Amino acid sequence: MVISITGHDHAEDVLELAGDFLESRPVEHNLVLTLLTARARQPEAGRYWIAWEDDDPVGVAFWSPSSQPVVVSPMSTGSVQGLVDTLVAEGAGVPGVNGEATTAAAFAGHWAERAKVGARPVMGLRFQLLGQLTEPSGVPGVGRVATATDAGVVMDFLSAFADFAGQPNLSPDAVDRAIAREAYLLWGVDGRPVCLVGQSLPVSGVTRIGPVYTPPTERRRGYAGAATAAVAARIVGAGHRCVLFTDLGNPISNSVYRSLGFSTVMEVLRYSFD
């Protein structure tokens, strides 16, 4: 078996070469598939790599924008080492890695050795798939799809979430496009928005819920669970499988999503490189 790595500057090239491989496991590959599809539709600067074993693609890495960690699909340790060696040879100064726990840990370990930098885990996530949806009862309020008139509220909620999660803020244009495709649900109580839940575009029959954000003053009242269930019902009703990420540092949210009918697919780790 010969392991090789090819680098690419355009997301559509990766989808053409490795799309069938990624779609063969659409749940496990959902994040990379969603990111690549978004970049193909709305191009931005980036760098992408495909890991090959003989003539077959076995892994994909996504890096865009360069300020964010490289996102890796699950792959073998040998492919991870080949990927890291290629990135080091290219001088790709990635600030971290995000992916399935075993793959991310192997990447971080080899990167620390090859790039001679420190690597530290900064977040543990759990990737979950919805089985039978159980909607909560007794939660005050009602959900509605956000419209253009809600753009200011949506932007405020998304900015607060980005600050909390250490992610880049979406541009107003990107938010407007997402609102136009009905990507956000607002849960309101007495006309006051208390929670926002988003959803990705469906890719290969899978739609990912996120972000989920409740302002600190409105938490522990069941709003996030009720809003998430409402979005999940929309996704299932459209005939798609529903997935989401949960923060392992938040035991309350993990138990809430489990009660809705989500079960674990895999653990995900994010590392930062010093």
Side-chain angles (χ1 to χ4, degrees), residues 75-116:
M75 65 184 84
S76 69
T77 300
S79 293
V80 170
Q81 292 176 345
L83 175 64
V84 169
D85 291 343
T86 298
L87 269 63
V88 170
E90 289 187 11
V94 298
V97 64
N98 184 24
E100 181 273 327
T102 301
T103 303
F107 187 108
H110 198 55
W111 183 268
E113 180 182 339
R114 289 297 318 277
K116 296 179 174 58

Coordinates of all heavy atoms in Angstrom, one line a residue, residues 75-116:
M75 N -9.2 9.3 9.4 CA -8.3 8.6 8.5 C -7.3 7.8 9.3 O -7.1 8.0 10.5 CB -7.6 9.6 7.5 CG -6.7 10.6 8.2 SD -6.0 11.8 6.9 CE -7.3 13.0 6.9
S76 N -6.5 6.9 8.7 CA -5.6 6.1 9.3 C -4.4 6.9 9.8 O -4.1 8.0 9.3 CB -5.1 5.0 8.4 OG -4.3 5.6 7.4
T77 N -3.6 6.3 10.8 CA -2.5 7.0 11.3 C -1.4 7.2 10.3 O -0.8 8.3 10.2 CB -1.9 6.2 12.5 OG1 -2.8 6.0 13.5 CG2 -0.6 6.9 13.1
G78 N -1.2 6.3 9.4 CA -0.3 6.4 8.3 C -0.6 7.6 7.4 O 0.3 8.4 7.0
S79 N -1.9 7.7 7.1 CA -2.3 8.8 6.2 C -2.2 10.2 7.0 O -1.8 11.2 6.4 CB -3.8 8.6 5.8 OG -3.9 7.5 5.0
V80 N -2.4 10.2 8.3 CA -2.3 11.4 9.1 C -0.8 11.8 9.0 O -0.5 13.0 8.8 CB -2.7 11.2 10.5 CG1 -2.3 12.4 11.4 CG2 -4.2 11.0 10.6
Q81 N 0.1 10.9 9.2 CA 1.5 11.3 9.2 C 2.0 11.8 7.8 O 2.7 12.8 7.8 CB 2.3 10.0 9.6 CG 2.2 9.6 11.1 CD 2.9 8.4 11.4 OE1 3.3 7.6 10.6 NE2 3.0 8.1 12.7
G82 N 1.5 11.2 6.8 CA 1.8 11.7 5.4 C 1.2 13.1 5.2 O 1.8 13.9 4.6
L83 N 0.0 13.3 5.8 CA -0.6 14.6 5.6 C 0.2 15.7 6.4 O 0.5 16.7 5.8 CB -2.0 14.6 6.2 CG -2.8 15.9 6.3 CD1 -3.0 16.5 4.9 CD2 -4.1 15.7 7.0
V84 N 0.6 15.4 7.6 CA 1.4 16.3 8.4 C 2.7 16.6 7.7 O 3.2 17.7 7.6 CB 1.6 15.8 9.8 CG1 2.7 16.7 10.5 CG2 0.3 15.8 10.6
D85 N 3.4 15.5 7.2 CA 4.7 15.7 6.5 C 4.5 16.7 5.3 O 5.4 17.5 5.0 CB 5.2 14.4 6.0 CG 5.7 13.5 7.2 OD1 5.9 14.0 8.3 OD2 5.8 12.3 7.0
T86 N 3.4 16.5 4.6 CA 3.1 17.4 3.4 C 2.9 18.8 3.8 O 3.4 19.7 3.2 CB 1.9 16.8 2.6 OG1 2.2 15.5 2.2 CG2 1.6 17.7 1.4
L87 N 2.1 19.0 4.9 CA 1.9 20.4 5.3 C 3.1 21.1 5.8 O 3.3 22.3 5.5 CB 0.8 20.4 6.4 CG -0.7 20.5 6.0 CD1 -1.1 19.4 5.1 CD2 -1.6 20.7 7.2
V88 N 4.0 20.3 6.5 CA 5.2 20.9 7.0 C 6.1 21.3 5.8 O 6.7 22.3 5.7 CB 6.0 19.9 7.9 CG1 7.4 20.4 8.2 CG2 5.2 19.8 9.2
A89 N 6.2 20.4 4.8 CA 7.0 20.6 3.6 C 6.5 21.9 2.8 O 7.2 22.6 2.2 CB 7.0 19.4 2.7
E90 N 5.1 22.1 2.8 CA 4.6 23.2 2.1 C 4.7 24.5 3.0 O 4.4 25.6 2.4 CB 3.1 23.0 1.9 CG 2.8 22.0 0.8 CD 1.3 21.9 0.4 OE1 0.6 22.8 0.9 OE2 0.9 21.0 -0.3
G91 N 5.1 24.4 4.2 CA 5.2 25.6 5.1 C 3.8 26.1 5.5 O 3.7 27.3 5.8
A92 N 2.8 25.2 5.6 CA 1.5 25.5 6.0 C 1.5 25.7 7.5 O 1.4 24.7 8.3 CB 0.5 24.5 5.5
G93 N 1.5 26.9 8.0 CA 1.5 27.2 9.5 C 0.1 27.1 10.1 O -0.4 28.1 10.5
V94 N -0.5 25.9 10.1 CA -1.8 25.8 10.6 C -1.8 26.0 12.1 O -0.9 25.6 12.8 CB -2.4 24.4 10.3 CG1 -2.5 24.2 8.8 CG2 -1.6 23.3 10.9
P95 N -2.8 26.8 12.6 CA -2.8 27.1 14.1 C -3.4 26.0 15.0 O -3.4 26.1 16.2 CB -3.7 28.3 14.1 CG -4.7 28.2 13.0 CD -3.9 27.5 11.9
G96 N -4.0 24.9 14.4 CA -4.6 23.9 15.2 C -5.2 22.8 14.2 O -5.1 22.9 13.0
V97 N -5.9 21.9 14.9 CA -6.5 20.8 14.1 C -7.8 20.5 14.8 O -7.9 20.6 16.0 CB -5.6 19.6 14.0 CG1 -5.4 18.9 15.3 CG2 -6.3 18.6 13.0
N98 N -8.8 20.1 14.0 CA -10.1 19.8 14.5 C -10.6 18.5 13.8 O -10.6 18.5 12.6 CB -11.1 20.9 14.3 CG -12.5 20.7 14.9 OD1 -12.6 20.0 15.8 ND2 -13.5 21.4 14.3
G99 N -11.0 17.5 14.5 CA -11.5 16.3 13.9 C -11.7 15.2 14.8 O -11.6 15.3 16.1
E100 N -12.1 14.0 14.3 CA -12.4 12.8 15.1 C -11.2 12.6 16.0 O -10.1 12.8 15.7 CB -12.6 11.6 14.1 CG -12.9 10.3 14.8 CD -11.6 9.6 15.2 OE1 -10.6 9.7 14.4 OE2 -11.7 8.9 16.2
A101 N -11.5 12.2 17.3 CA -10.5 12.2 18.3 C -9.2 11.5 18.0 O -8.2 12.1 18.2 CB -11.2 11.7 19.6
T102 N -9.3 10.3 17.5 CA -8.1 9.6 17.2 C -7.3 10.2 16.1 O -6.0 10.4 16.2 CB -8.4 8.1 16.9 OG1 -9.1 7.5 17.9 CG2 -7.1 7.3 16.6
T103 N -8.0 10.7 15.1 CA -7.3 11.3 14.0 C -6.6 12.7 14.4 O -5.5 12.9 14.1 CB -8.3 11.6 12.8 OG1 -8.9 10.4 12.4 CG2 -7.6 12.2 11.6
A104 N -7.4 13.5 15.2 CA -6.9 14.8 15.6 C -5.7 14.6 16.5 O -4.7 15.3 16.5 CB -8.0 15.5 16.3
A105 N -5.8 13.6 17.4 CA -4.7 13.4 18.4 C -3.4 12.9 17.6 O -2.3 13.4 17.9 CB -5.1 12.3 19.4
A106 N -3.6 12.1 16.6 CA -2.4 11.6 15.8 C -1.8 12.8 15.1 O -0.6 12.9 15.0 CB -2.8 10.5 14.9
F107 N -2.7 13.6 14.5 CA -2.2 14.8 13.8 C -1.4 15.7 14.7 O -0.3 16.2 14.4 CB -3.4 15.6 13.2 CG -3.0 16.7 12.2 CD1 -3.2 16.6 10.9 CD2 -2.6 17.9 12.7 CE1 -2.9 17.6 10.0 CE2 -2.2 19.0 11.9 CZ -2.4 18.8 10.5
A108 N -2.0 16.0 15.9 CA -1.4 16.9 16.8 C 0.0 16.4 17.3 O 0.9 17.2 17.4 CB -2.3 17.2 18.0
G109 N 0.0 15.1 17.6 CA 1.3 14.5 18.1 C 2.4 14.6 17.0 O 3.5 15.0 17.3
H110 N 2.0 14.3 15.8 CA 3.0 14.3 14.7 C 3.4 15.7 14.3 O 4.6 16.0 14.0 CB 2.5 13.5 13.5 CG 3.6 13.1 12.5 ND1 4.7 12.4 12.9 CD2 3.7 13.4 11.2 CE1 5.5 12.2 11.8 NE2 4.9 12.8 10.8
W111 N 2.4 16.6 14.4 CA 2.7 18.0 14.1 C 3.7 18.6 15.1 O 4.6 19.3 14.8 CB 1.4 18.8 14.1 CG 1.6 20.3 13.7 CD1 1.8 21.3 14.5 CD2 1.7 20.8 12.4 NE1 2.0 22.5 13.8 CE2 1.9 22.2 12.5 CE3 1.5 20.2 11.1 CZ2 2.0 23.0 11.4 CZ3 1.6 21.1 10.0 CH2 1.9 22.5 10.1
A112 N 3.4 18.3 16.4 CA 4.3 18.8 17.5 C 5.7 18.4 17.2 O 6.7 19.1 17.4 CB 3.8 18.4 18.8
E113 N 5.9 17.1 16.8 CA 7.2 16.6 16.5 C 7.9 17.2 15.3 O 9.0 17.6 15.4 CB 7.1 15.1 16.4 CG 8.5 14.4 16.1 CD 8.3 12.9 15.9 OE1 7.3 12.3 16.4 OE2 9.2 12.3 15.3
R114 N 7.1 17.3 14.2 CA 7.7 17.8 13.0 C 7.9 19.3 12.9 O 8.9 19.8 12.5 CB 6.8 17.3 11.8 CG 6.9 15.8 11.4 CD 8.3 15.4 11.0 NE 8.9 16.3 10.2 CZ 8.7 16.4 8.8 NH1 7.9 15.6 8.2 NH2 9.4 17.3 8.1
A115 N 6.9 20.0 13.4 CA 7.0 21.5 13.4 C 7.7 22.1 14.6 O 7.9 23.3 14.7 CB 5.6 22.1 13.3
K116 N 7.9 21.2 15.6 CA 8.6 21.6 16.8 C 7.9 22.7 17.5 O 8.5 23.8 17.9 CB 10.1 22.0 16.5 CG 10.9 20.9 15.9 CD 12.3 21.3 15.6 CE 13.2 20.1 15.2 NZ 12.7 19.4 14.1

